[in-house]
Amino acid sequence: MMVDSRLPPVPHVLFDELLIECVDALRHQSYDGQHRSEHIRHLQVAALDQGRSIEVRDLLNAVAQHFLNQLKYNHLWHMANSNAESVVLAKALENVLGDEADRYVYHGTICGNLAGIAQEGLIAGKRPVWSEKLVPRTHCNSGVFFTKSWRGAMNWADIAHYSTRGPRNGRHRTQCVLRIPKCGLALEPDCYRQDGSSQVVRGVVKATAAQVLIGRVQGFPQWRPLAEVLATK
């Protein structure tokens, strides 16, 4: 598969970050499976690197072709159809990544909470937005919750957005996702999520190294340091 020279160059992305994102995209096609054009271009560029093995370059091209094939389907198709090939390709990329495959965990919230998070960290029950009908308050207050996917965390950010008071289109209620390095976190399984997609930390989680997505992002994410986001709001 050749890079389309008519398109503007894509911003540089570190190789492991590209693979981490592609694994997330492959495993969560129901969220934004029709938004893979930038993934394809990054993969095409990475596959041209002669310093990588033929096997890895072939895998990158296979993932790019898989994404290309899925561009013809709409959002409803992606929601209704699981894809065995996506799972196989995700596992293959995880094998290339090794221990780095689950480098990050993710937390969905709203922009109005970011300044407090930057100052104090993530604190269990500090900024409640969930309805008791959704999650028992005692469970919410028991720890700080994370997902293994930023796309999964964006769904929680949506709930925070709709559960918070204030102008719906204002920045305070805008969805955002925090990405935090997993290393050093005492993560436990969330007993309310039997699929293993959610984890919890029983204590304060510092946001010193946090990066952020602002808005209901679809497609290839552009992560920004939390301090930068707060400085430019």
mmCIF file of all heavy atoms in Angstrom, residues 97-132:
data_model
loop_
_atom_site.group_PDB
_atom_site.id
_atom_site.type_symbol
_atom_site.label_atom_id
_atom_site.label_comp_id
_atom_site.label_asym_id
_atom_site.label_seq_id
_atom_site.Cartn_x
_atom_site.Cartn_y
_atom_site.Cartn_z
ATOM 1 N N LEU A 97 4.171 -4.606 20.708
ATOM 2 C CA LEU A 97 4.367 -3.647 21.797
ATOM 3 C C LEU A 97 4.918 -4.290 23.060
ATOM 4 O O LEU A 97 5.646 -3.657 23.823
ATOM 5 C CB LEU A 97 3.032 -2.967 22.132
ATOM 6 C CG LEU A 97 2.589 -1.859 21.207
ATOM 7 C CD1 LEU A 97 1.102 -1.582 21.387
ATOM 8 C CD2 LEU A 97 3.388 -0.586 21.461
ATOM 9 N N GLY A 98 4.562 -5.532 23.316
ATOM 10 C CA GLY A 98 4.993 -6.195 24.540
ATOM 11 C C GLY A 98 4.392 -5.539 25.773
ATOM 12 O O GLY A 98 3.195 -5.249 25.824
ATOM 13 N N ASP A 99 5.241 -5.247 26.757
ATOM 14 C CA ASP A 99 4.755 -4.676 28.020
ATOM 15 C C ASP A 99 4.176 -3.274 27.852
ATOM 16 O O ASP A 99 3.485 -2.776 28.742
ATOM 17 C CB ASP A 99 5.889 -4.624 29.045
ATOM 18 C CG ASP A 99 6.340 -6.013 29.490
ATOM 19 O OD1 ASP A 99 5.550 -6.961 29.331
ATOM 20 O OD2 ASP A 99 7.475 -6.133 29.984
ATOM 21 N N GLU A 100 4.467 -2.614 26.741
ATOM 22 C CA GLU A 100 3.972 -1.254 26.517
ATOM 23 C C GLU A 100 2.541 -1.221 26.002
ATOM 24 O O GLU A 100 1.963 -0.143 25.835
ATOM 25 C CB GLU A 100 4.880 -0.523 25.514
ATOM 26 C CG GLU A 100 6.279 -0.259 26.034
ATOM 27 C CD GLU A 100 6.272 0.617 27.277
ATOM 28 O OE1 GLU A 100 5.757 1.755 27.198
ATOM 29 O OE2 GLU A 100 6.755 0.170 28.327
ATOM 30 N N ALA A 101 1.955 -2.385 25.761
ATOM 31 C CA ALA A 101 0.613 -2.432 25.169
ATOM 32 C C ALA A 101 -0.430 -1.759 26.047
ATOM 33 O O ALA A 101 -1.402 -1.188 25.543
ATOM 34 C CB ALA A 101 0.212 -3.878 24.883
ATOM 35 N N ASP A 102 -0.258 -1.828 27.368
ATOM 36 C CA ASP A 102 -1.222 -1.185 28.278
ATOM 37 C C ASP A 102 -0.513 -0.116 29.111
ATOM 38 O O ASP A 102 -0.625 -0.074 30.337
ATOM 39 C CB ASP A 102 -1.933 -2.213 29.157
ATOM 40 C CG ASP A 102 -0.945 -3.023 30.004
ATOM 41 O OD1 ASP A 102 0.274 -2.925 29.760
ATOM 42 O OD2 ASP A 102 -1.393 -3.728 30.921
ATOM 43 N N ARG A 103 0.185 0.771 28.453
ATOM 44 C CA ARG A 103 0.976 1.814 29.110
ATOM 45 C C ARG A 103 0.118 2.801 29.878
ATOM 46 O O ARG A 103 0.540 3.348 30.893
ATOM 47 C CB ARG A 103 1.794 2.572 28.071
ATOM 48 C CG ARG A 103 2.648 3.706 28.653
ATOM 49 C CD ARG A 103 3.308 4.507 27.552
ATOM 50 N NE ARG A 103 4.228 3.709 26.765
ATOM 51 C CZ ARG A 103 4.863 4.167 25.688
ATOM 52 N NH1 ARG A 103 4.637 5.394 25.254
ATOM 53 N NH2 ARG A 103 5.701 3.391 25.037
ATOM 54 N N TYR A 104 -1.115 3.060 29.395
ATOM 55 C CA TYR A 104 -1.945 4.125 29.955
ATOM 56 C C TYR A 104 -3.276 3.601 30.475
ATOM 57 O O TYR A 104 -3.768 2.547 30.049
ATOM 58 C CB TYR A 104 -2.241 5.183 28.885
ATOM 59 C CG TYR A 104 -1.021 5.833 28.279
ATOM 60 C CD1 TYR A 104 -0.639 5.532 26.960
ATOM 61 C CD2 TYR A 104 -0.253 6.746 28.989
ATOM 62 C CE1 TYR A 104 0.468 6.139 26.383
ATOM 63 C CE2 TYR A 104 0.851 7.353 28.420
ATOM 64 C CZ TYR A 104 1.212 7.040 27.115
ATOM 65 O OH TYR A 104 2.318 7.639 26.549
ATOM 66 N N VAL A 105 -3.868 4.398 31.374
ATOM 67 C CA VAL A 105 -5.279 4.243 31.732
ATOM 68 C C VAL A 105 -5.941 5.596 31.504
ATOM 69 O O VAL A 105 -5.268 6.629 31.396
ATOM 70 C CB VAL A 105 -5.473 3.766 33.183
ATOM 71 C CG1 VAL A 105 -5.060 2.323 33.325
ATOM 72 C CG2 VAL A 105 -4.707 4.658 34.171
ATOM 73 N N TYR A 106 -7.293 5.597 31.460
ATOM 74 C CA TYR A 106 -8.016 6.784 31.004
ATOM 75 C C TYR A 106 -9.184 7.091 31.943
ATOM 76 O O TYR A 106 -9.821 6.177 32.479
ATOM 77 C CB TYR A 106 -8.535 6.551 29.583
ATOM 78 C CG TYR A 106 -7.444 6.131 28.625
ATOM 79 C CD1 TYR A 106 -7.117 4.783 28.464
ATOM 80 C CD2 TYR A 106 -6.730 7.080 27.899
ATOM 81 C CE1 TYR A 106 -6.104 4.394 27.603
ATOM 82 C CE2 TYR A 106 -5.715 6.695 27.030
ATOM 83 C CZ TYR A 106 -5.407 5.349 26.891
ATOM 84 O OH TYR A 106 -4.395 4.969 26.039
ATOM 85 N N HIS A 107 -9.459 8.378 32.083
ATOM 86 C CA HIS A 107 -10.528 8.826 32.976
ATOM 87 C C HIS A 107 -11.358 9.890 32.264
ATOM 88 O O HIS A 107 -10.826 10.919 31.833
ATOM 89 C CB HIS A 107 -9.919 9.401 34.258
ATOM 90 C CG HIS A 107 -10.926 9.873 35.267
ATOM 91 N ND1 HIS A 107 -11.532 9.030 36.182
ATOM 92 C CD2 HIS A 107 -11.449 11.113 35.490
ATOM 93 C CE1 HIS A 107 -12.364 9.725 36.927
ATOM 94 N NE2 HIS A 107 -12.347 10.995 36.529
ATOM 95 N N GLY A 108 -12.648 9.653 32.138
ATOM 96 C CA GLY A 108 -13.539 10.610 31.493
ATOM 97 C C GLY A 108 -14.120 11.600 32.481
ATOM 98 O O GLY A 108 -14.573 11.216 33.567
ATOM 99 N N THR A 109 -14.121 12.875 32.119
ATOM 100 C CA THR A 109 -14.663 13.913 33.002
ATOM 101 C C THR A 109 -15.113 15.095 32.144
ATOM 102 O O THR A 109 -15.403 14.914 30.954
ATOM 103 C CB THR A 109 -13.619 14.330 34.069
ATOM 104 O OG1 THR A 109 -14.210 15.261 34.973
ATOM 105 C CG2 THR A 109 -12.373 14.915 33.454
ATOM 106 N N ILE A 110 -15.181 16.278 32.730
ATOM 107 C CA ILE A 110 -15.527 17.498 31.999
ATOM 108 C C ILE A 110 -14.451 18.552 32.243
ATOM 109 O O ILE A 110 -13.710 18.491 33.229
ATOM 110 C CB ILE A 110 -16.906 18.047 32.413
ATOM 111 C CG1 ILE A 110 -16.976 18.248 33.925
ATOM 112 C CG2 ILE A 110 -18.024 17.137 31.906
ATOM 113 C CD1 ILE A 110 -18.224 18.932 34.414
ATOM 114 N N CYS A 111 -14.391 19.533 31.367
ATOM 115 C CA CYS A 111 -13.338 20.545 31.450
ATOM 116 C C CYS A 111 -13.399 21.356 32.741
ATOM 117 O O CYS A 111 -12.365 21.825 33.234
ATOM 118 C CB CYS A 111 -13.426 21.486 30.251
ATOM 119 S SG CYS A 111 -12.868 20.745 28.710
ATOM 120 N N GLY A 112 -14.595 21.527 33.286
ATOM 121 C CA GLY A 112 -14.735 22.285 34.513
ATOM 122 C C GLY A 112 -13.994 21.683 35.701
ATOM 123 O O GLY A 112 -13.763 22.368 36.703
ATOM 124 N N ASN A 113 -13.618 20.418 35.595
ATOM 125 C CA ASN A 113 -12.917 19.750 36.693
ATOM 126 C C ASN A 113 -11.398 19.766 36.538
ATOM 127 O O ASN A 113 -10.683 19.363 37.464
ATOM 128 C CB ASN A 113 -13.373 18.295 36.796
ATOM 129 C CG ASN A 113 -14.803 18.165 37.276
ATOM 130 O OD1 ASN A 113 -15.335 19.073 37.914
ATOM 131 N ND2 ASN A 113 -15.439 17.050 36.959
ATOM 132 N N LEU A 114 -10.895 20.204 35.389
ATOM 133 C CA LEU A 114 -9.475 20.043 35.104
ATOM 134 C C LEU A 114 -8.572 20.846 36.033
ATOM 135 O O LEU A 114 -7.523 20.353 36.455
ATOM 136 C CB LEU A 114 -9.191 20.412 33.643
ATOM 137 C CG LEU A 114 -9.747 19.446 32.597
ATOM 138 C CD1 LEU A 114 -9.380 19.921 31.199
ATOM 139 C CD2 LEU A 114 -9.240 18.018 32.827
ATOM 140 N N ALA A 115 -8.942 22.080 36.335
ATOM 141 C CA ALA A 115 -8.081 22.902 37.195
ATOM 142 C C ALA A 115 -7.924 22.258 38.569
ATOM 143 O O ALA A 115 -6.811 22.187 39.118
ATOM 144 C CB ALA A 115 -8.654 24.312 37.317
ATOM 145 N N GLY A 116 -9.021 21.780 39.126
ATOM 146 C CA GLY A 116 -8.955 21.119 40.431
ATOM 147 C C GLY A 116 -8.148 19.835 40.378
ATOM 148 O O GLY A 116 -7.400 19.522 41.307
ATOM 149 N N ILE A 117 -8.300 19.094 39.297
ATOM 150 C CA ILE A 117 -7.537 17.851 39.139
ATOM 151 C C ILE A 117 -6.047 18.146 39.056
ATOM 152 O O ILE A 117 -5.218 17.434 39.633
ATOM 153 C CB ILE A 117 -8.028 17.092 37.896
ATOM 154 C CG1 ILE A 117 -9.440 16.536 38.132
ATOM 155 C CG2 ILE A 117 -7.069 15.957 37.529
ATOM 156 C CD1 ILE A 117 -10.100 15.970 36.905
ATOM 157 N N ALA A 118 -5.689 19.205 38.324
ATOM 158 C CA ALA A 118 -4.280 19.570 38.201
ATOM 159 C C ALA A 118 -3.684 19.927 39.557
ATOM 160 O O ALA A 118 -2.530 19.609 39.852
ATOM 161 C CB ALA A 118 -4.125 20.735 37.226
ATOM 162 N N GLN A 119 -4.466 20.591 40.407
ATOM 163 C CA GLN A 119 -3.967 21.037 41.701
ATOM 164 C C GLN A 119 -3.958 19.934 42.749
ATOM 165 O O GLN A 119 -3.004 19.800 43.526
ATOM 166 C CB GLN A 119 -4.815 22.205 42.203
ATOM 167 C CG GLN A 119 -4.674 23.481 41.382
ATOM 168 C CD GLN A 119 -5.609 24.586 41.869
ATOM 169 O OE1 GLN A 119 -6.415 24.389 42.763
ATOM 170 N NE2 GLN A 119 -5.496 25.758 41.255
ATOM 171 N N GLU A 120 -5.027 19.131 42.770
ATOM 172 C CA GLU A 120 -5.207 18.179 43.864
ATOM 173 C C GLU A 120 -5.075 16.722 43.437
ATOM 174 O O GLU A 120 -4.964 15.843 44.294
ATOM 175 C CB GLU A 120 -6.596 18.373 44.489
ATOM 176 C CG GLU A 120 -6.835 19.774 45.034
ATOM 177 C CD GLU A 120 -8.252 19.954 45.525
ATOM 178 O OE1 GLU A 120 -9.166 19.298 44.965
ATOM 179 O OE2 GLU A 120 -8.453 20.710 46.485
ATOM 180 N N GLY A 121 -5.127 16.474 42.150
ATOM 181 C CA GLY A 121 -5.177 15.101 41.669
ATOM 182 C C GLY A 121 -6.606 14.614 41.556
ATOM 183 O O GLY A 121 -7.562 15.352 41.839
ATOM 184 N N LEU A 122 -6.768 13.387 41.151
ATOM 185 C CA LEU A 122 -8.087 12.754 41.090
ATOM 186 C C LEU A 122 -8.390 12.164 42.459
ATOM 187 O O LEU A 122 -7.627 11.344 42.982
ATOM 188 C CB LEU A 122 -8.097 11.658 40.022
ATOM 189 C CG LEU A 122 -8.044 12.157 38.579
ATOM 190 C CD1 LEU A 122 -7.544 11.058 37.646
ATOM 191 C CD2 LEU A 122 -9.413 12.634 38.123
ATOM 192 N N ILE A 123 -9.514 12.580 43.040
ATOM 193 C CA ILE A 123 -9.896 12.177 44.390
ATOM 194 C C ILE A 123 -11.259 11.505 44.337
ATOM 195 O O ILE A 123 -12.209 12.062 43.772
ATOM 196 C CB ILE A 123 -9.938 13.397 45.335
ATOM 197 C CG1 ILE A 123 -8.579 14.107 45.348
ATOM 198 C CG2 ILE A 123 -10.352 12.978 46.736
ATOM 199 C CD1 ILE A 123 -8.595 15.418 46.127
ATOM 200 N N ALA A 124 -11.375 10.348 44.928
ATOM 201 C CA ALA A 124 -12.638 9.600 44.921
ATOM 202 C C ALA A 124 -13.757 10.427 45.526
ATOM 203 O O ALA A 124 -13.623 10.953 46.632
ATOM 204 C CB ALA A 124 -12.468 8.303 45.705
ATOM 205 N N GLY A 125 -14.868 10.574 44.780
ATOM 206 C CA GLY A 125 -16.051 11.267 45.279
ATOM 207 C C GLY A 125 -15.912 12.767 45.376
ATOM 208 O O GLY A 125 -16.821 13.435 45.877
ATOM 209 N N LYS A 126 -14.803 13.334 44.887
ATOM 210 C CA LYS A 126 -14.566 14.769 45.034
ATOM 211 C C LYS A 126 -15.536 15.597 44.201
ATOM 212 O O LYS A 126 -16.034 16.621 44.648
ATOM 213 C CB LYS A 126 -13.131 15.086 44.613
ATOM 214 C CG LYS A 126 -12.742 16.556 44.653
ATOM 215 C CD LYS A 126 -12.598 17.069 46.068
ATOM 216 C CE LYS A 126 -12.057 18.489 46.079
ATOM 217 N NZ LYS A 126 -11.855 18.995 47.445
ATOM 218 N N ARG A 127 -15.774 15.172 42.973
ATOM 219 C CA ARG A 127 -16.632 15.941 42.068
ATOM 220 C C ARG A 127 -17.724 15.019 41.508
ATOM 221 O O ARG A 127 -17.676 14.611 40.353
ATOM 222 C CB ARG A 127 -15.794 16.535 40.940
ATOM 223 C CG ARG A 127 -14.674 17.427 41.450
ATOM 224 C CD ARG A 127 -13.682 17.796 40.364
ATOM 225 N NE ARG A 127 -12.581 18.556 40.919
ATOM 226 C CZ ARG A 127 -11.473 18.010 41.426
ATOM 227 N NH1 ARG A 127 -11.343 16.698 41.451
ATOM 228 N NH2 ARG A 127 -10.506 18.772 41.910
ATOM 229 N N PRO A 128 -18.705 14.651 42.319
ATOM 230 C CA PRO A 128 -19.716 13.682 41.880
ATOM 231 C C PRO A 128 -20.589 14.225 40.761
ATOM 232 O O PRO A 128 -21.086 15.344 40.847
ATOM 233 C CB PRO A 128 -20.534 13.420 43.143
ATOM 234 C CG PRO A 128 -20.336 14.649 43.976
ATOM 235 C CD PRO A 128 -18.948 15.123 43.692
ATOM 236 N N VAL A 129 -20.747 13.434 39.712
ATOM 237 C CA VAL A 129 -21.648 13.810 38.623
ATOM 238 C C VAL A 129 -22.608 12.682 38.273
ATOM 239 O O VAL A 129 -23.579 12.898 37.565
ATOM 240 C CB VAL A 129 -20.856 14.207 37.345
ATOM 241 C CG1 VAL A 129 -20.041 15.460 37.589
ATOM 242 C CG2 VAL A 129 -19.951 13.078 36.886
ATOM 243 N N TRP A 130 -22.335 11.460 38.780
ATOM 244 C CA TRP A 130 -23.168 10.329 38.390
ATOM 245 C C TRP A 130 -24.475 10.290 39.166
ATOM 246 O O TRP A 130 -24.506 10.568 40.364
ATOM 247 C CB TRP A 130 -22.439 8.998 38.626
ATOM 248 C CG TRP A 130 -21.033 9.015 38.156
ATOM 249 C CD1 TRP A 130 -19.909 8.826 38.895
ATOM 250 C CD2 TRP A 130 -20.582 9.245 36.817
ATOM 251 N NE1 TRP A 130 -18.804 8.934 38.113
ATOM 252 C CE2 TRP A 130 -19.177 9.182 36.841
ATOM 253 C CE3 TRP A 130 -21.235 9.503 35.612
ATOM 254 C CZ2 TRP A 130 -18.407 9.370 35.699
ATOM 255 C CZ3 TRP A 130 -20.478 9.700 34.468
ATOM 256 C CH2 TRP A 130 -19.086 9.617 34.519
ATOM 257 N N SER A 131 -25.527 9.921 38.484
ATOM 258 C CA SER A 131 -26.799 9.687 39.150
ATOM 259 C C SER A 131 -26.727 8.392 39.949
ATOM 260 O O SER A 131 -26.089 7.422 39.541
ATOM 261 C CB SER A 131 -27.917 9.596 38.101
ATOM 262 O OG SER A 131 -29.088 9.056 38.659
ATOM 263 N N GLU A 132 -27.388 8.371 41.098
ATOM 264 C CA GLU A 132 -27.449 7.162 41.918
ATOM 265 C C GLU A 132 -28.061 6.005 41.131
ATOM 266 O O GLU A 132 -27.764 4.843 41.374
ATOM 267 C CB GLU A 132 -28.269 7.430 43.177
ATOM 268 C CG GLU A 132 -28.366 6.269 44.148
ATOM 269 C CD GLU A 132 -27.087 6.061 44.959
ATOM 270 O OE1 GLU A 132 -26.291 7.011 45.068
ATOM 271 O OE2 GLU A 132 -26.894 4.935 45.463
#
